[in-house]
Amino acid sequence: MTPWEFQGRELINCNCSYGCPCQFNALPTHGHCGAAGIVHIEQGHYGDVNLDGLSMVAIMQWPGPIHEGRGKCQPIIDASASEPQREALLKILSGQDTDPGATMFAVFASTFEQVFEPIFAPITFELDVEKRHGRVRVENVVDIHAEPIRNPVTGQEHRARIDLPHGFEYEIAEIGSGTSSTLGNLAMEMKQTYAQFAHLHMNNHGVIRHRTAA
């Protein structure tokens, strides 16, 4: 395998209720899954290809629970990426050069029956994991807005986190409320549904952990 590693941030919005049963090995809220999100690489490489500052977006749909397969994916790669960088990002996103099941990329890729041709376009985003605020936009393709969950009585911010000591995506995710609109091959609308914000650090072999599991 070509060695790769990156550190970065992610924002994912899916159609489940807050908490997302999938995070707990339960069935999705509505029986099917749809999601859109960004991974922004702050520092990373694929072999000798530098990936610093690049972003990749994915729009995904499954007609049932993810593990039952038949999924579809629309990958979107930062237009500023060079040809070698584009190839590297697509390999990571598709689970190549990765231990089986070691990352969410590899897990999701194993469930897709169709992956559309990648879109190379400018990706604009704002993402603050700790404050649970984010915005992602690819013109005419996807618009994601995420914010803190609000107490329905007081309107104050409600903070919740998910801790997965043995997960394949993150160690801790901050949970928020997301609203998304996607167009094109995988069109969908989500309003005030599950959103997660997380710092990522992973390589070919999975999540690089900075906390000791209990």
Side-chain angles (χ1 to χ4, degrees):
M1 292 190 293
T2 299
W4 61 265
E5 180 178 338
F6 74 78
Q7 296 183 62
R9 292 168 287 160
E10 75 164 2
L11 166 59
I12 308 293
N13 180 205
C14 82
N15 65 322
C16 281
S17 298
Y18 301 146
C20 183
C22 305
Q23 305 295 325
F24 303 92
N25 285 324
L27 297 178
T29 302
H30 306 290
H32 62 277
C33 292
I38 184 173
V39 171
H40 175 70
I41 297 174
E42 295 165 344
Q43 185 176 26
H45 69 89
Y46 176 89
D48 59 1
V49 177
N50 187 294
L51 302 177
D52 294 3
L54 296 175
S55 299
M56 46 188 175
V57 169
I59 304 169
M60 301 167 285
Q61 283 185 343
W62 293 266
I66 293 173
H67 67 273
E68 292 184 358
R70 296 179 293 146
K72 297 180 180 181
C73 177
Q74 174 65 72
I76 305 161
I77 301 297
D78 203 327
S80 66
S82 66
E83 191 60 38
Q85 289 173 326
R86 292 180 180 189
E87 183 178 350
L89 291 173
L90 286 170
K91 285 187 174 181
I92 292 173
L93 189 60
S94 61
Q96 298 182 51
D97 289 322
T98 302
D99 292 342
T103 68
M104 75 282 201
F105 306 120
V107 170
F108 291 159
S110 71
T111 70
F112 294 144
E113 67 176 13
Q114 183 175 12
V115 177
F116 297 100
E117 286 296 314
I119 295 171
F120 302 102
I123 299 171
T124 58
F125 77 99
E126 301 172 5
L127 178 52
D128 189 315
V129 173
E130 284 69 32
K131 291 184 178 180
R132 308 177 309 287
H133 279 284
R135 187 71 183 259
V136 181
R137 188 169 189 271
V138 179
E139 189 172 2
N140 297 321
V141 182
V142 60
D143 198 339
I144 305 169
H145 176 253
E147 60 186 0
I149 297 168
R150 297 281 177 178
N151 183 301
V153 177
T154 67
Q156 294 183 331
E157 293 183 4
H158 174 73
R159 188 181 184 192
R161 302 192 295 179
I162 297 176
D163 183 342
L164 295 181
H166 306 291
F168 51 65
E169 185 171 358
Y170 56 80
E171 290 190 281
I172 291 181
E174 296 280 354
I175 309 306
S177 174
T179 296
S180 297
S181 175
T182 68
L183 301 172
N185 291 316
L186 297 175
M188 57 184 168
E189 299 283 338
M190 295 178 283
K191 184 175 182 180
Q192 294 180 332
T193 57
Y194 175 85
Q196 70 183 40
F197 306 77
H199 293 285
L200 305 181
H201 189 187
M202 60 179 60
N203 62 18
N204 308 69
H205 310 298
V207 175
I208 297 173
R209 305 189 188 281
H210 301 273
R211 303 168 70 247
T212 302

